[in-house]
Amino acid sequence: NQNFQNRISSLISTALLRKPTGETYEFLWEIYNDKEKFKNKDKEILGNSAILALGHYVNTQKGVTLTQKEDKTLLIKEKLKDELQKVETNSEKSILLEAIGNTRDESFFKDVKKFTDAKDLDTRKSAFHSMRFMKQKEAQLTLTEGLRKEQDARVKDTILDVMISRKADTESL
């Protein structure tokens, strides 16, 4: 329905704010942490949108001059890393991996790499997809190795899409 779509659009728009308030950041975490979300599909979608917006928020704050009080990027990155270790379901792992990818922060590489061997294919896909902006050589090697050993065609497609988007060298392909 239109009201639900407007709520999603509003959530996503918050990630584009150049200087969001602390209340914005807290509001997004509150929506993500709504424990009822997994009993209600709309709330789950809203929660997932909120965490994706928080990941994107980290990226949009690069180069913006913020006071220490205004800058929530370090706190968000720490929470994303903590949440990734705590969550139990594969769907929660996948959405957190996507949010980490939205940060475009290469410091998450080791945290993400652990999930490239996950049993769940959506978790593996999200782990590889989150490497799309990680330009370090280790990420490229992980993608190349993943392409070589992955058995599932959908995960392989994701890896290839990421390699192409990273402008992978032809030797890797």
Side-chain angles (χ1 to χ4, degrees):
N1 82 39
Q2 189 60 40
N3 185 35
F4 181 70
Q5 291 301 319
N6 290 340
R7 291 171 73 190
I8 294 289
S9 296
S10 296
L11 275 174
I12 293 168
S13 295
T14 61
L16 303 176
L17 296 172
R18 291 307 280 170
K19 284 193 172 187
T21 65
E23 290 82 17
T24 302
Y25 153 81
E26 289 166 12
F27 174 70
L28 291 171
W29 272 111
E30 188 177 302
I31 291 172
Y32 170 71
N33 285 317
D34 182 356
K35 298 306 177 199
E36 295 295 308
K37 71 181 173 194
F38 294 105
K39 296 178 183 174
N40 176 311
K41 193 65 174 167
D42 286 352
K43 282 189 173 183
E44 181 181 359
I45 292 168
L46 284 172
N48 290 347
S49 298
I51 200 70
L52 291 170
L54 280 164
H56 188 70
Y57 164 86
V58 170
N59 179 54
T60 61
Q61 297 310 292
K62 293 175 183 166
V64 175
T65 305
L66 300 169
T67 66
Q68 191 171 12
K69 183 179 179 186
E70 292 173 322
D71 190 358
K72 302 292 184 192
T73 57
L74 185 59
L75 187 57
I76 293 170
K77 291 191 305 187
E78 288 171 0
K79 280 189 161 188
L80 287 171
K81 192 180 283 198
D82 290 345
E83 281 292 308
L84 186 58
Q85 302 310 313
K86 288 190 322 191
V87 295
E88 296 177 5
T89 69
N90 291 323
S91 63
E92 288 176 298
K93 289 174 189 167
S94 292
I95 200 68
L96 281 162
L97 287 163
E98 294 293 344
I100 285 169
N102 284 353
T103 68
R104 298 183 180 206
D105 189 322
E106 295 181 353
S107 70
F108 280 110
F109 173 71
K110 289 181 182 177
D111 301 294
V112 167
K113 185 177 186 220
K114 292 186 243 181
F115 292 94
T116 60
D117 292 325
K119 289 182 183 180
D120 179 67
L121 79 96
D122 287 328
T123 303
R124 288 196 313 275
K125 280 175 54 176
S126 292
F128 285 115
H129 189 251
S130 70
M131 291 183 190
R132 65 195 178 279
F133 301 112
M134 296 180 184
K135 301 298 183 193
Q136 69 265 49
K137 188 166 181 73
E138 296 89 354
Q140 183 63 42
L141 293 172
T142 299
L143 289 163
T144 303
E145 181 61 27
L147 187 61
R148 252 185 252 146
K149 71 179 188 176
E150 180 59 53
Q151 299 299 308
D152 187 272
R154 292 164 293 186
V155 178
K156 280 188 167 196
D157 284 347
T158 297
I159 295 169
L160 281 171
D161 287 345
V162 169
M163 292 174 89
I164 291 167
S165 74
R166 290 167 46 96
K167 298 180 176 117
D169 62 328
T170 52
E171 288 178 35
S172 300
L173 297 172

